[in-house]
Amino acid sequence: MNRQVILIVFAILWAGLQAWNHRFELYNDDAIEYIDIAKSLVNGNFALAINPYWSPLYSWLIALSEVIFHPKGIAQIVLLKLLNLSIFIFTFCSFIRLVKVTLSRRQSDEMLPSNEMIQALALGGFIALTLGMGGTHIDTPDMLSYGLLYLASAELLLAPTGLLANARMGFWLGLGYLTKAIILPVSCVFFVLAFFRNKANASVRLKSTLVAILTMLAVAIPHMMAISKQTGKLTFSEAGGLNYAWYVSRSADFLLPNFTLNKEHIGQYKHLPEVMIEKPRTLLFDKPFDSSFAAWLAPHYWFDGYVIKFSAWNQFIAILASVFFFARYFYLPVFLGLCLLMVLNRSCNLAFKPKAQVLELALPSVVALGLYSVALNCNTLYSSRYFCAYFVLLYFALLTSVSISKTQTKQGKNFVIAQLVTLALLFVPGVFNIIENLECLAKGNKNQAQAICKRLSALGIRDGARIMLVDPVRKLAFAVVGNYKVVAESRDFESLRNDPKQCTDQMLDRCAKNKIEAIYIDNSEMKAAPDDRWKAVFDQEQSLYVIPVRLVQSK
């Protein structure tokens, strides 16, 4: 069994383990929005399905899987994990294609390391970065965007061969934009490289590049037009501006319940949610969206009117945090590997000979990471999944930039040793991930979402009921399983702890008036029920509590 087969089997087993262990869970509150958009599409509610913040292609695939399999209850989340695993396999195949296209242009017979060794090292880097920093348990379109980026990179290397390769590159970049909006500006780098990569005369180069651009626009423009019409302005995505305001300029509140707490920002928003309760501070998000979690379905609507206030200091901090983040996960392991290589080869020369294809692999990634550094403080929660593909491409570019004569066998062996050390360092987050997943497999993963729904049903809370949420983490898998509508949210735990009776009275009164059937608390710091009207969801779990509004009020 050769190295490639071993690596492929290992990767699929690891990815399958991630998907299996999290088959009853949603990764974060982003996931529920992709599912909501998919359901809107299936139900023909296209106004809700078109969203300027959430890219559409991942939701389209979820919708397609729902049309084919008609999942109900917890099967919706299980099917989502199977979709994630399928996307990983697609991405792995896409990267293998890129590797084969790249190495087919390398004269392996005349230099070290061999193409087989470079392919093995590249696949190792792909696995370490993709599953160590990302994974199939993450219910977001990032993995899909990796695969489309690899396919576009492969076609970029083939672009000089004719119009068809350029058309394919534009097609993959168009789909990439529909998956992650950042690929639209990154695609400009592809087009510039495609133009200068072609050795034909200027008119032929221009024609080939225009084919790529027009193909990409043909795929992307319908979505751009739809979201521009919805927002009333020309836009290709609202995600970039909002993330900059949240993480860099700090001129908008990231969490919606903070709307009424930050007096500096409150006046700029055009669609303020209703303050349902003053104490504990609770906001009502039931209009105009009918979805499982309206507070996060349409950030572009709730934050409409936000202002980006540039701050040189905040920008410096964001870039510095991003550089440290990149260094910790990628640059430092690669740098240490290069230092080891220099030590091992201190008595001889080692030639790094970057070729055009190395630039084509690396430059789009450099630009993308630069954009992320400026527009997003990369040292933020969940952010590692954004960068896997760009790190993989940079590492692969490094591997293909080394040229060692076959007569220099010692240098060739030293290079492989140094890269194995680099891979070991890149694999550190993956080791912890594997250990965590194996422990989870040994313990078994309980179907908590289904159990919560059964408990709510036993308390008389019907499927599809309107619910108020008090949960800092927003673990909302149960809302998907029970088709519940989370229409109100509070994060004011302090008031609830300090005055549980008065706060509970206020919540019950206002929830009844707004036809909210239950108030649900999930807070690990809440070691006991606020008062005796609250019911523990599980006897053994002292952090989940629910209060059925109608049942309590009838007493």
Side-chain angles (χ1 to χ4, degrees), residues 120-160:
L121 292 170
L123 292 181
F126 169 88
I127 295 167
L129 291 165
T130 304
L131 295 178
M133 294 177 62
T136 56
H137 61 295
I138 299 177
D139 311 305
T140 63
D142 298 276
M143 184 75 74
L144 181 58
S145 72
Y146 308 161
L148 296 168
L149 191 67
Y150 297 144
L151 288 175
S153 298
E155 299 302 337
L156 176 60
L157 297 178
L158 296 172

Side-chain angles (χ1 to χ4, degrees), residues 17-18 20-23 25 433-446:
L17 182 64
Q18 290 178 332
W20 175 260
N21 282 339
H22 297 85
R23 67 193 182 280
E25 305 167 3
N433 183 276
I434 291 173
I435 292 173
E436 179 184 342
N437 274 282
L438 290 175
E439 290 176 348
C440 181
L441 183 65
K443 294 177 182 177
N445 190 8
K446 63 181 180 181

Side-chain angles (χ1 to χ4, degrees), residues 190-204:
F190 279 82
F191 300 142
V192 171
L193 289 171
F195 179 81
F196 287 104
R197 170 75 161 155
N198 200 322
K199 301 301 182 183
N201 59 55
S203 62
V204 173

